[in-house]
Amino acid sequence: MAALPFSPTCGKSNSALHPNYSSSFTPRNHFCRLFAIRTTCSSRKVRRRRKLCVKNVASDKRKELQEPVTEQGSLDKFMPDSTSITSSIKYHAEFSPVFSPEKFELSKAFFATAESVRDNLIINWNATYTYYEKKNVKQAYYMSMEYLQGRALLNAIGNLQLSGPYAEALRNLGHNLEDVANQEPDAALGNGGLGRLASCFLDSLATLNYPAWGYGLRYKYGLFKQLITKDGQEEVAESWLEMGNPWEIVRHDVSYPIKFYGEVISGENGSKQWVGGENITAVAYDVPIPGYKTRTTINLRLWSTKVSPQEFDLKAFNAGDHAKAYADMKNAEKICYILYPGDETLEGKTLRLKQQYTLCSASLQDIIARFERRSGKTLNWDTLPDKVVVQMNDTHPTLCIPELIRILIDAKGLSWEKAWDITKRTVAYTNHTVLPEALEKWSLQLLQDLLPRHVEIIRMIDEELIHEIIAEYGTNDLDLLQQKLQKMRILENIELPNSVIELLNNSKEISAIDPTKEVDVNDEKIKAAEKEEEKEKEEKGVDGDEQSGKVEAGKETRLTFKVDPKQPMMVRMANLCVAGGFSVNGVAEIHSEIVKETVFNDFYQLWPYKFQNKTNGVTPRRWIRFCNPDLSNIITKWIGTEDWVTDLEKLAILRKFADDEDLQLEWRESKRRNKIKVASFIKEKTGYVVNPNAMFDVQVKRIHEYKRQLLNIMGIVYRYKMMKEMSGEERKRRFVPRVCIFGGKAFATYVQAKRIVKFITDVGATVNNDPDIGDLLKVVFVPDYNVSVAEVLIPGSELSQHISTAGMEASGTSNMKFAMNGCVLIGTLDGANVEIREEVGEDNFFLFGARAHEIAGLRRERSEGKFVGDPRFEEVKAYVRSGVFGAYKYEELMGSLEGNEGYGRADYFLVGKDFPTYIECQDKVDEAYRDHKRWTRMSILNTAGSYKFSSDRTIHEYARHIWRIEPALLV
């Protein structure tokens, strides 16, 4: 292993996904042994006797299952009925136990049911993998730090078209399918839209039969579980794995070594060897992802980290030093403990970087091993981009670029030129943000310590990039060149490479240019070179004036660009993604234009062919068909087919029925039934009782200042203040009853976001207990918002708020889910809102606020003291400060909306600027809601116009324009 430190430990896999795998107890054969348990009992005191009868309901398929799948497919479609499913569930309750045998309660029923479903999935899972291996198809690999999957049971049986048989089977066993499904915890593998998008993409990839895998990390505790107390948000560890995960299969034979720290040793032939340091192992956990109405079942491979048992220091343990005994084990395991560990400390930053490298290294080693195995004797590294494409979901997987180069050079013996060329044709990058703080940067020193070989490679990439910039712009205009390098370099505030300095000093244009004095930037190699140069000058008798930067005519000088020794040296990961990837895409039309015009404008000028737009989408299976069956049945009835579930463009047919009174009546009744479910859910989760006849106004998403939950709650405070100033009769005439629902997590160290959560809950506590207001206004914060909560709230919502500061939301995906479910949106022209408004119609979208192109000017006006706040906004701030919502002091929160400059001041997100148009737009919402026919028509047209926002459409575009992969259909 020392000679090949990064070769996989699974040279020839025995994985159940591998075509040569064989076992007397494979899940496939195991599914074919379905047991029917018969119980007889003469009295309650008589001990039950069980007769286990083997029922081979699938035995006629066994021989075929053992044969490899042909191009046409030798597996006939096998659809279990409720009888065989009942036997399968009984079998798992008896022989795959994670609970005691005495009772068959809901939790036990869930696990037995999930394992029964997994048996079905494994049949297709193995067949899919075998087919990909045999055909050696080009495969896409989606790299993401997050996968916000939600519960899997109903989604899986829905995709398998077995919802009816499973419901009947569970009724036979004394349970309700919905109650059983509610026992499943959400997989705590993600946080927000980034992770939900990744999961939607996997669903669409499988449904559309595209050959693809997802790669991520198996977080033991997820982000955190959110509790809402009198102090606001509190965080506790997620417990989603406490009782095990029936969907995953650990692959003990699929593991790869991961290295940190150490040093790089150069060989005589120029080779590099990364030695020493800290060594851990990444182990694969596989989760099946089934497609809808297709046998294709793709794989989500999650990595968990560990060290070998030999690392346990038994001597230290027996000597009483227990912490030292298992220090190495805990150090390895903690890499996969938490999603996004706090990075306020060096330890937190180091852990985050370890997570990112673990994902990249383990996944790429796995991908390379698969490429080599499929290539066999015809292995040709030049063909890697023809068989593999790696999509980086945001900048978290950026280390894929230097890691792929490292593997190709150090482990596979390729030259730098070839490895760099292959990498640039293999890796693609999706940008998800224009926020400066979200464009990831890492300390060069931290990277140097943790990943010394990768820093060498990043320096080489930076050098290649600089030479390409110089080739494009020349050296005539050094001011322009310096501007380009400052914006485009991967290494920030770091000296130019020697090769570039020599190029600049050897160029003919230098004689006509004033030299720029070099600045000491504490780089050891540059320092050594400078000392040597100074020594040579002293020996040659160079005078002091020349050394101080004064140059005599005809004398040679050393030219470089200034850096600031007081500023940190950083690595800009987004710039590395653009330089090292063959494609860069934004996730909404407006976002992609901002990416080209602002965020990466210099790169766009250099490589315009790299930049694309791929507007996000969501899967209509989970987000209409399964979470809103009532509405789905209405859609199917009026469209005349259920094909819309995989061809969402058919939703447009609803437009011609939008004014039909019968459809409107059915539509309203469906929405009311969903609202009753939401009201029951709110009572269960918060204790608040809300009226289903009120408008349900919802804003659920990650808590962040730019998403402007603060604008929403300030608008609610204004509404409440106005109500309190009116008589009872007047307020009933003036206001439509509303239930204002919030949900979302504030990052644990994001103080201002947590203040916003506290503020919302304080307003709710006051308003909800005010007898003068009653059902006219309720404010509810639903704790621990996740996919399962969204699946309840979204079908019952009527107004949804997507009110981010224009130009700051890349896309959003919840806006798409709400529109699909007939919810009317209020929002700014930001992210996908722009395209949603175009598709559903301007009259069916409540628009307010400044436009993206105005934002910079408005902030400049603010800094110049020209902004004058709306009197109504000033009244609301004073009202909050009066203490009406409790003793908590909101000075920091209100203060952030005041002043003209300074950190945490000056209303950077323009809450005050947009407040007047926001509350005026809310008056228009009330007016529209009073007209039931108008509102229902708007609701129908939102669903009808949402067809563009299917993740199926997005994935088709990725597959055709970026990945260049074709469907591989198992028949």
Side-chain angles (χ1 to χ4, degrees):
M1 291 300 293
L4 294 171
F6 283 86
S7 62
T9 62
C10 54
K12 186 172 183 180
S13 174
N14 289 324
S15 163
L17 286 181
H18 193 277
N20 295 326
Y21 176 80
S22 63
S23 170
S24 60
F25 193 67
T26 63
R28 181 181 64 194
N29 292 334
H30 149 86
F31 176 69
C32 297
R33 301 188 180 104
L34 303 176
F35 286 80
I37 302 173
R38 300 176 183 172
T39 304
T40 60
C41 182
S42 59
S43 72
R44 293 181 181 178
K45 296 182 180 180
V46 177
R47 188 174 62 185
R48 293 189 302 168
R49 294 171 295 173
R50 297 180 180 178
K51 295 181 180 180
L52 303 180
C53 303
V54 179
K55 185 177 181 182
N56 291 315
V57 295
S59 61
D60 58 324
K61 299 292 169 185
R62 183 177 303 169
K63 184 176 180 180
E64 294 175 49
L65 287 170
Q66 291 171 348
E67 297 296 327
V69 179
T70 65
E71 195 167 333
Q72 292 77 26
S74 63
L75 256 174
D76 296 331
K77 190 174 182 181
F78 172 57
M79 294 291 288
D81 58 17
S82 61
T83 301
S84 63
I85 289 172
T86 301
S87 297
S88 175
I89 294 172
K90 285 181 178 181
Y91 171 84
H92 283 291
E94 185 77 9
F95 293 102
S96 303
V98 289
F99 297 90
S100 58
E102 287 81 9
K103 297 178 181 179
F104 188 68
E105 295 181 334
L106 280 173
S107 52
K108 185 174 182 177
F110 161 67
F111 270 83
T113 303
E115 286 161 342
S116 168
V117 175
R118 192 184 71 183
D119 288 345
N120 268 298
L121 296 180
I122 286 174
I123 296 172
N124 292 336
W125 202 12
N126 288 344
T128 304
Y129 183 84
T130 300
Y131 187 67
Y132 292 171
E133 288 282 302
K134 179 182 178 181
K135 301 295 290 183
N136 192 15
V137 294
K138 183 177 184 181
Q139 192 163 329
Y141 297 98
Y142 200 77
M143 300 279 192
S144 181
M145 289 292 286
E146 295 186 47
Y147 289 92
L148 200 58
Q149 291 179 284
R151 293 168 175 164
L153 180 59
L154 293 181
N155 193 74
I157 63 175
N159 278 358
L160 290 168
Q161 297 177 268
L162 293 174
S163 300
Y166 267 94
E168 184 178 346
L170 285 168
R171 280 196 299 271
N172 294 338
L173 296 169
H175 289 300
N176 177 275
L177 174 58
E178 187 174 344
D179 293 337
V180 170
N182 286 337
Q183 296 299 304
E184 181 177 5
D186 274 39
L189 299 172
N191 175 32
L194 185 82
R196 185 55 235 165
L197 179 74
S199 291
C200 284
F201 278 4
L202 292 186
D203 177 273
S204 287
L205 283 163
T207 297
L208 301 174
N209 303 295
Y210 282 115
W213 274 24
Y215 280 104
L217 296 181
R218 181 180 180 267
Y219 303 106
K220 185 175 183 180
Y221 301 115
L223 185 70
F224 57 80
K225 187 170 185 175
Q226 181 193 54
L227 304 179
I228 299 298
T229 69
K230 61 180 179 60
D231 298 316
Q233 172 181 295
E234 291 187 11
E235 306 89 23
V236 297
E238 269 279 6
S239 58
W240 77 286
L241 285 175
E242 185 178 10
M243 302 183 72
N245 178 9
W247 303 109
E248 67 184 15
I249 296 177
V250 60
R251 308 294 188 190
H252 292 294
D253 56 335
V254 182
S255 61
Y256 298 93
I258 310 293
K259 182 182 288 296
F260 304 110
Y261 304 108
E263 60 179 334
V264 180
I265 299 175
S266 299
E268 293 181 359
N269 60 353
S271 63
K272 301 282 188 174
Q273 190 176 11
W274 183 13
V275 298
E278 176 184 309
N279 297 286
I280 67 168
T281 300
V283 180
Y285 284 74
D286 288 347
V287 179
I289 308 295
Y292 179 75
K293 288 190 176 182
T294 176
R295 290 181 50 235
T296 298
T297 301
I298 64 174
N299 193 39
L300 171 59
R301 178 156 284 178
L302 304 171
W303 300 106
S304 188
T305 46
K306 68 175 187 177
V307 294
S308 68
Q310 287 75 20
E311 299 298 326
F312 181 75
D313 192 338
L314 188 58
K315 290 183 180 179
F317 190 86
N318 287 332
D321 194 348
H322 299 161
K324 179 184 177 184
Y326 52 74
D328 289 340
M329 301 179 76
K330 290 298 181 185
N331 199 38
E333 291 171 0
K334 73 180 182 182
I335 292 173
C336 292
Y337 274 176
I338 300 293
L339 170 64
Y340 301 143
D343 60 354
E344 301 296 309
T345 64
L346 176 61
E347 291 78 8
K349 289 181 173 66
T350 302
L351 184 56
R352 276 209 192 190
L353 196 54
K354 281 185 171 184
Q355 287 183 332
Q356 294 185 5
Y357 179 61
T358 297
L359 169 64
C360 296
S361 182
S363 302
L364 284 171
Q365 289 181 72
D366 196 43
I367 291 167
I368 292 294
R370 187 172 303 110
F371 170 74
E372 290 180 303
R373 184 177 64 250
R374 290 182 181 178
S375 298
K377 295 180 180 179
T378 62
L379 178 63
N380 178 358
W381 289 107
D382 287 329
T383 66
L384 181 68
D386 300 325
K387 296 297 181 182
V388 169
V389 58
V390 175
Q391 186 71 42
M392 300 182 297
N393 192 27
D394 214 350
T395 53
H396 307 128
T398 304
L399 290 169
C400 282
I401 294 170
E403 174 65 3
L404 180 55
I405 294 173
R406 186 200 66 76
I407 293 173
L408 293 176
I409 294 177
D410 296 358
K412 305 305 174 183
L414 274 62
S415 66
W416 160 260
E417 291 77 13
K418 182 163 283 192
W420 176 225
D421 175 68
I422 289 170
T423 299
K424 287 191 295 182
R425 293 189 290 123
T426 302
V427 180
Y429 163 52
T430 299
N431 173 273
H432 282 279
T433 185
V434 298
L435 296 177
E437 67 268 22
L439 288 174
E440 205 171 11
K441 297 180 184 180
W442 286 102
S443 160
L444 178 66
Q445 187 61 55
L446 175 57
L447 268 168
Q448 178 69 56
D449 292 342
L450 195 67
L451 303 168
R453 179 62 176 129
H454 296 75
V455 169
E456 289 185 349
I457 293 170
I458 291 170
R459 284 183 179 275
M460 294 173 74
I461 297 172
D462 184 61
E463 189 172 346
E464 292 272 356
L465 175 60
I466 294 171
H467 280 287
E468 190 159 355
I469 294 169
I470 292 173
E472 177 70 19
Y473 295 101
T475 55
N476 285 323
D477 188 343
L478 287 189
D479 287 337
L480 173 64
L481 183 60
Q482 183 166 2
Q483 290 173 14
K484 294 292 181 182
L485 294 180
Q486 285 177 342
K487 293 179 180 178
M488 298 175 71
R489 284 192 66 188
I490 296 162
L491 300 177
E492 181 180 71
N493 198 45
I494 295 173
E495 74 291 338
L496 291 171
N498 286 334
S499 67
V500 177
I501 294 173
E502 293 304 318
L503 174 65
L504 292 174
N505 281 285
N506 290 334
S507 69
K508 296 178 181 179
E509 291 85 0
I510 287 182
S511 59
I513 301 171
D514 291 334
T516 303
K517 186 178 178 182
E518 287 190 82
V519 179
D520 185 350
V521 291
N522 298 319
D523 182 271
E524 297 301 325
K525 292 182 180 179
I526 296 295
K527 280 184 174 181
E530 288 172 345
K531 289 180 180 178
E532 187 65 27
E533 188 178 87
E534 292 296 326
K535 184 178 179 181
E536 290 176 4
K537 286 182 178 180
E538 289 174 3
E539 290 174 352
K540 292 178 181 179
V542 180
D543 62 44
D545 286 342
E546 189 169 334
Q547 290 185 44
S548 66
K550 297 178 181 178
V551 185
E552 296 179 5
K555 294 290 184 179
E556 190 174 311
T557 185
R558 184 176 175 81
L559 185 146
T560 183
F561 292 119
K562 290 182 179 180
V563 295
D564 187 349
K566 297 180 182 179
Q567 296 298 316
M569 294 183 287
M570 306 295 288
V571 179
R572 297 188 278 202
M573 307 305 270
N575 287 19
L576 178 54
C577 286
V578 179
F582 68 86
S583 172
V584 180
N585 72 278
V587 290
E589 288 177 0
I590 185 175
H591 170 240
S592 294
E593 289 305 307
I594 292 172
V595 164
K596 291 190 292 186
E597 294 173 4
T598 306
V599 183
F600 297 127
N601 179 254
D602 295 281
F603 286 105
Y604 176 65
Q605 293 178 37
L606 183 62
W607 300 312
Y609 57 86
K610 282 192 178 187
F611 289 80
Q612 301 188 32
N613 174 61
K614 296 289 172 280
T615 297
N616 283 344
V618 300
T619 167
R621 270 75 64 186
R622 183 180 288 270
W623 291 110
I624 309 183
R625 183 66 188 89
F626 302 147
C627 79
N628 199 346
D630 205 10
L631 184 64
S632 297
N633 293 335
I634 294 172
I635 293 171
T636 298
K637 172 186 172 182
W638 284 84
I639 289 178
T641 176
E642 201 181 34
D643 291 349
W644 61 269
V645 180
T646 52
D647 182 8
L648 209 62
E649 289 189 6
K650 284 186 167 57
L651 287 183
I653 297 172
L654 288 171
R655 285 174 173 157
K656 64 184 180 181
F657 303 117
D659 293 307
D660 190 289
E661 291 185 1
D662 291 335
L663 173 59
Q664 287 203 358
L665 179 60
E666 291 178 31
W667 202 271
R668 282 195 295 270
E669 289 176 348
S670 171
K671 182 66 72 172
R672 177 171 170 76
R673 286 190 290 270
N674 285 324
K675 289 173 67 178
I676 290 171
K677 291 179 182 177
V678 172
S680 176
F681 180 80
I682 288 173
K683 176 69 166 61
E684 176 190 348
K685 296 297 182 182
T686 70
Y688 288 130
V689 176
V690 300
N691 184 0
N693 294 320
M695 177 200 297
F696 279 18
D697 172 355
V698 183
Q699 186 180 21
V700 284
K701 54 186 72 214
R702 184 165 46 96
I703 309 296
H704 197 294
E705 288 170 278
Y706 89 83
K707 294 180 183 287
R708 299 203 295 191
Q709 287 91 351
L710 185 55
L711 174 60
N712 187 349
I713 193 64
M714 293 290 276
I716 291 169
V717 169
Y718 175 73
R719 191 180 186 93
Y720 176 66
K721 179 175 179 293
M722 289 183 66
M723 286 181 175
K724 293 293 288 182
E725 294 169 353
M726 296 177 180
S727 67
E729 289 300 319
E730 187 180 4
R731 69 174 69 107
K732 286 179 181 179
R733 287 195 305 269
R734 173 71 173 78
F735 294 105
V736 166
R738 284 206 199 191
V739 177
C740 301
I741 303 168
F742 293 83
K745 295 178 180 179
F747 191 67
T749 58
Y750 191 173
V751 175
Q752 191 75 328
K754 294 179 80 170
R755 288 184 183 129
I756 293 171
V757 174
K758 168 66 174 167
F759 184 34
I760 293 169
T761 57
D762 281 353
V763 171
T766 299
V767 172
N768 298 344
N769 292 295
D770 189 330
D772 293 339
I773 303 303
D775 286 343
L776 271 180
L777 183 62
K778 297 290 184 184
V779 181
V780 178
F781 193 101
V782 178
D784 204 37
Y785 178 68
N786 56 24
V787 175
S788 296
V789 174
E791 289 174 329
V792 176
L793 295 182
I794 290 175
S797 61
E798 293 173 291
L799 179 74
S800 182
Q801 308 223 14
H802 304 274
I803 57 178
S804 53
T805 311
M808 302 195 76
E809 182 75 86
S811 168
T813 53
S814 66
N815 45 8
M816 303 170 185
K817 299 164 195 169
F818 280 101
M820 280 185 184
N821 283 270
C823 182
V824 184
L825 275 56
I826 181 173
T828 53
L829 282 181
D830 195 26
N833 283 1
V834 177
E835 293 162 77
I836 290 174
R837 183 169 176 262
E838 290 172 356
E839 298 298 332
V840 305
E842 295 180 5
D843 293 338
N844 305 305
F845 184 106
F846 293 103
L847 177 68
F848 76 95
R851 307 305 195 254
H853 68 273
E854 300 173 329
I855 301 302
L858 291 170
R859 287 179 178 143
R860 186 168 54 251
E861 287 181 11
R862 181 83 183 220
S863 68
E864 294 169 356
K866 298 178 181 178
F867 173 74
V868 178
D870 187 274
R872 293 166 293 185
F873 188 62
E874 300 304 314
E875 290 174 11
V876 170
K877 288 189 294 181
Y879 193 58
V880 172
R881 283 180 165 128
S882 71
V884 67
F885 300 114
Y888 185 85
K889 301 299 181 184
Y890 283 104
E891 191 56 43
E892 295 91 345
L893 195 57
M894 296 299 105
S896 71
L897 305 172
E898 298 173 335
N900 298 322
E901 59 183 0
Y903 179 76
R905 304 277 294 175
D907 193 11
Y908 182 78
F909 301 98
L910 279 70
V911 174
K913 174 63 181 178
D914 281 350
F915 184 80
T917 57
Y918 176 69
I919 59 174
E920 288 157 11
C921 193
Q922 291 285 11
D923 289 338
K924 295 177 182 178
V925 171
D926 280 358
E927 179 185 351
Y929 193 78
R930 288 190 180 95
D931 185 340
H932 295 314
K933 289 185 177 181
R934 178 189 172 191
W935 189 271
T936 306
R937 184 178 190 275
M938 294 173 71
S939 175
I940 293 169
L941 291 174
N942 265 267
T943 297
S946 66
Y947 60 86
K948 176 182 177 179
F949 305 102
S950 168
S951 52
D952 294 350
R953 186 266 313 154
T954 313
I955 285 301
H956 274 312
E957 293 180 1
Y958 272 98
R960 292 166 182 166
H961 306 147
I962 298 179
W963 302 335
R964 305 300 172 98
I965 60 175
E966 298 292 335
L969 177 63
L970 283 81
V971 293

